[in-house]
């Protein structure tokens, strides 16, 4: 039985005598042995050793380095965080340097000096542990609610990391995603995390306002500029000065108005409709659309120069159907949010309803989910909402699973995040829901970098 107490070290070496020497040298480690590339990759998949000590001269090319270099490439492709220390022959520094350029952590030249090699290996384990801890801290930072966003899946965690990075920067942001994915919520999160948080957040839907009115809505107008303009009116751009202007459905903006918007973005000045005075405006612009802007550029329906101006940083919001586990978590959050506002408080969902939430494709994304949950809260008779209440049918379709260790890891992490969200962070209830003890739950949370 392989001990979990000792750190795992994979030694890739075809010389039996050297295998024994190295295994004796690293007796404080759980030493795994491989003599070929295939054996090395099999050990890597099965045991995931943090550090690999690899000879570059491997069969069927023991006198050359081609097989060793290919083994290094495939090792780092399979497990990028692994620290690979390559061992080369005497006076073979060039290949050692080449291996480091391919991603090897360090190199060591034969003949073996066990004291020096032990030091290099020890340092590699230390660096790997620090990097792993850093990754866990970064992930744990995003487990709490973030400006109203609930993100328990990897795709939305990535979006939240982008928000944190881009929010303080003085750059324009373009948010792409299907209707109902929460693009305005992301724009508001960017505003709240920026240095303009004390200023106004002004939103305007470019698709909801008639073309002839959109310009005056954006830039304002002077008294007498057109029939009915009985007084000077400030537009949304000027109103948002010092804050953030959110232009939703920017892909529906008319071409003529796109040119005026581009001029404003370049010069930071506007002119009200019917006016001649240039008015300086200090505002950050965040845009969003569900359209394919590159396709609109090809069709000459969207300006390419405007596209590059508004999209200095682009955030792509995944549709709900691609966010494994998210529908169930979001649905429970909506139950808590709406509470008993419809006069019929609900405690949760039946198992069949939870399965149906995950199986449905959600063409309307989060907006559709919210509508279905609200309707179910009104129409449902019991304390638990059913698939029938949600007007969903449970799907029995599954997916093919190949890398079992990766699937298990992903499933465990997702299940813990979902359970914590459902129980609002209550450890006792979460452990009961998952069917594990509290110590086991704490161990799993530490393993996957989930804050508690």
């Amino acid at each position: 039985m392989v001990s979990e107490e000792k750190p795992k070290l994979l030694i890739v070496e075809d010389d039996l005598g050297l295998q024994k020497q190295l295994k004796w040298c690293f007796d404080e480690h759980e030493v795994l042995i491989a003599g070929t590339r295939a054996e090395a990759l099999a050990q890597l998949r099965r045991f995931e050793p943090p550090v690999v000590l690899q000879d570059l001269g491997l069969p069927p090319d023991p006198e050359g380095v081609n097989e060793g270099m290919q083994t290094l490439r495939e090792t780092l492709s399979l497990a990028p965080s692994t620290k690979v220390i390559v061992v080369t022959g005497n006076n073979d520094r060039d290949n050692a340097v080449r291996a480091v350029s391919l991603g090897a952590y360090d190199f060591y030249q034969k003949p073996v000096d066990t004291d020096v090699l032990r030091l290099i290996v020890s340092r590699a384990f230390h660096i790997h542990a620090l990097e792993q801890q850093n990754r866990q801290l970064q992930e744990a930072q995003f487990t709490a609610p973030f400006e109203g966003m609930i993100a328990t899946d990897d795709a939305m965690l990535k979006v939240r990391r982008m928000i944190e990075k881009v929010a303080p920067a003085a750059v324009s942001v373009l948010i792409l995603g299907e209707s109902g994915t929460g693009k305005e919520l992301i724009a508001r999160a960017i505003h709240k995390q920026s240095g303009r948080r004390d200023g106004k957040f002004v939103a305007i839907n470019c698709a909801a306002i008639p073309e002839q009115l959109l310009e005056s809505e954006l830039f304002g107008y002077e008294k007498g500029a057109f029939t009915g303009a009985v007084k000077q009116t400030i537009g949304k751009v000027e109103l948002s000065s010092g804050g953030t202007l959110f232009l939703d459905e920017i892909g529906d903006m008319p071409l003529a108005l796109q040119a005026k918007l581009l001029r404003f973005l370049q010069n930071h000045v506007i002119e009200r409709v019917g006016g001649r005075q240039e008015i300086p405006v200090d505002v950050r612009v965040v845009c969003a659309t569900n359209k394919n802007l590159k396709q609109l550029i090809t069709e000459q329906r969207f300006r390419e120069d405007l596209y590059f101006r508004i999209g200095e940083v682009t955030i792509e919001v995944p549709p709900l159907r691609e966010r494994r586990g998210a529908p169930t978590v979001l649905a429970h959050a909506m139950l808590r949010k709406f509470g008993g506002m419809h006069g019929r408080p609900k405690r949760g969902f039946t198992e069949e309803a939870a399965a149906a939430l995950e199986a449905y494709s959600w063409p309307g994304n989060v907006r559709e989910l919210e509508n279905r949950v609200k309707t179910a809260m009104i129409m449902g008779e019991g304390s638990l909402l059913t698939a029938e209440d949600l007007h969903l049918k449970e799907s029995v379709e599954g997916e093919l699973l190949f890398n079992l260790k990766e699937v298990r890891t992903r499933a465990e992490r997702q299940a813990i995040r979902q359970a914590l969200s459902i129980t609002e962070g209550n450890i006792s209830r979460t452990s009961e829901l998952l069917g594990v003890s509290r110590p086991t739950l704490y161990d799993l949370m530490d393993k996957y970098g989930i804050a508690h």
Side-chain angles (χ1 to χ4, degrees):
M1 181 177 177
V2 176
S3 172
E4 294 295 329
E5 299 298 325
K6 295 182 179 181
K8 295 181 178 67
L9 171 66
L10 173 59
I11 295 176
V12 187
E13 170 62 61
D14 65 319
D15 186 300
L16 295 179
L18 196 51
Q19 284 182 4
K20 291 181 180 179
Q21 181 185 357
L22 291 172
K23 191 169 184 178
W24 171 83
C25 174
F26 294 103
D27 61 345
E28 73 275 23
H29 296 78
E30 186 65 44
V31 177
L32 312 168
I33 299 292
T36 65
R37 174 168 31 133
E39 291 175 0
L41 296 178
Q43 296 277 46
L44 193 71
R45 287 190 177 94
R46 184 178 180 186
F47 296 107
E48 299 179 345
V51 179
V52 175
L53 193 60
Q54 183 206 311
D55 190 359
L56 283 182
L58 296 175
D61 183 30
E63 301 303 320
V65 297
N66 290 336
E67 185 69 7
M69 291 296 184
Q70 186 59 29
T71 302
L72 172 63
R73 291 189 187 94
E74 293 186 20
T75 296
L76 293 176
S77 175
L78 186 64
S81 63
T82 302
K83 302 303 175 189
V84 182
I85 302 165
V86 295
V87 181
T88 69
N90 194 17
N91 299 321
D92 194 16
R93 186 180 180 85
D94 289 345
N95 281 320
V97 173
R98 178 184 164 202
V100 172
S101 71
L102 290 175
Y105 165 73
D106 206 343
F107 69 90
Y108 182 76
Q109 293 178 308
K110 295 178 182 178
V112 172
D113 182 327
T114 55
D115 289 337
V116 175
L117 195 54
R118 284 166 63 93
L119 179 62
I120 295 174
V121 169
S122 175
R123 187 176 61 181
F125 272 104
H126 179 65
I127 295 298
H128 182 274
L130 288 177
E131 291 178 353
Q132 185 180 45
Q133 183 182 34
N134 184 53
R135 285 192 296 271
Q136 290 175 344
L137 288 172
Q138 286 182 339
E139 184 167 344
Q141 184 177 357
F142 298 98
T143 57
F146 182 84
E147 297 299 329
M149 292 175 59
I150 298 173
T152 59
D153 55 287
D154 291 338
M156 284 305 293
L157 287 171
K158 180 180 178 182
V159 169
R160 294 205 310 198
R161 283 191 286 269
M162 290 190 69
I163 292 172
E164 188 195 52
K165 291 178 181 179
V166 76
V171 294
S172 59
V173 181
L174 176 62
I175 305 171
L176 302 178
E178 297 178 6
S179 293
T181 51
K183 296 187 291 294
E184 182 171 343
L185 187 64
I186 291 173
R188 290 183 181 276
I190 291 172
H191 172 71
K192 289 293 185 181
Q193 295 293 316
S194 73
R196 297 175 176 270
R197 65 180 67 88
D198 295 329
K200 291 184 178 180
F201 177 89
V202 179
I204 184 169
N205 189 324
C206 299
I209 301 174
E211 179 177 342
Q212 61 271 24
L213 298 180
L214 185 55
E215 181 180 1
S216 58
E217 187 73 14
L218 278 172
F219 301 113
Y221 53 86
E222 299 289 352
K223 180 179 179 180
F226 49 82
T227 303
V230 296
K231 64 176 182 177
Q232 182 189 77
T233 301
I234 294 176
K236 292 294 180 67
V237 174
E238 196 174 348
L239 187 65
S240 60
S241 186
T244 301
L245 175 67
F246 176 53
L247 298 178
D248 198 8
E249 304 303 346
I250 187 71
D252 292 281
M253 179 174 284
L255 270 173
L257 194 53
Q258 290 177 29
K260 295 183 179 181
L261 177 63
L262 178 63
R263 179 176 180 272
F264 154 63
L265 293 174
Q266 289 174 332
N267 302 324
H268 303 287
V269 296
I270 63 167
E271 290 182 10
R272 300 191 189 106
V273 176
R276 297 183 178 275
Q277 179 185 0
E278 289 189 342
I279 304 169
V281 179
D282 172 29
V283 63
R284 181 185 196 168
V285 176
V286 177
C287 300
T289 183
N290 61 2
K291 300 287 181 64
N292 185 334
L293 293 186
K294 291 183 179 179
Q295 180 63 34
L296 294 181
I297 291 171
T298 302
E299 298 170 359
Q300 297 186 337
R301 295 165 54 196
F302 199 86
R303 295 180 62 108
E304 187 174 31
D305 47 5
L306 179 59
Y307 171 75
F308 290 115
R309 177 65 65 174
I310 63 175
E312 291 175 311
V313 175
T314 299
I315 297 177
E316 296 190 22
V317 188
L320 188 55
R321 62 181 172 274
E322 295 179 5
R323 298 172 54 188
R324 180 179 295 273
T328 306
V329 173
L330 290 170
H332 278 88
M334 290 170 185
L335 280 186
R336 293 194 295 268
K337 176 182 177 182
F338 302 133
M341 62 185 297
H342 297 296
R344 294 185 177 183
K346 308 297 179 182
R347 291 193 296 108
F349 299 86
T350 64
E351 291 186 10
E352 292 77 12
L357 285 167
E358 293 300 322
Y360 185 57
S361 62
W362 298 109
N365 292 292
V366 180
R367 187 178 295 125
E368 179 184 3
L369 174 62
E370 182 174 287
N371 288 342
R372 285 183 182 267
V373 171
K374 282 184 176 180
T375 301
M377 290 177 68
I378 296 171
M379 305 303 295
E381 297 292 339
S383 61
L384 296 177
L385 297 179
T386 66
E388 185 177 356
D389 294 332
L390 293 164
H391 297 287
L392 296 175
K393 292 182 179 180
E394 182 179 354
S395 171
V396 294
E397 295 180 0
E399 64 175 34
L400 295 175
L401 307 178
F402 294 102
N403 189 329
L404 293 180
K405 182 168 287 189
E406 175 61 27
V407 170
R408 185 173 67 247
T409 296
R410 187 174 62 213
E412 285 184 350
R413 182 189 293 115
Q414 187 63 48
I416 293 169
R417 287 174 176 163
Q418 283 184 259
L420 284 168
S421 177
I422 290 170
T423 64
E424 300 183 66
N426 186 297
I427 297 297
S428 296
R429 289 175 56 206
T430 300
S431 62
E432 292 175 5
L433 187 62
L434 293 171
V436 298
S437 66
R438 285 169 58 98
T440 299
L441 176 59
Y442 278 121
D443 288 343
L444 288 170
M445 291 172 68
D446 288 337
K447 177 181 178 181
Y448 297 124
I450 300 174
H452 53 81

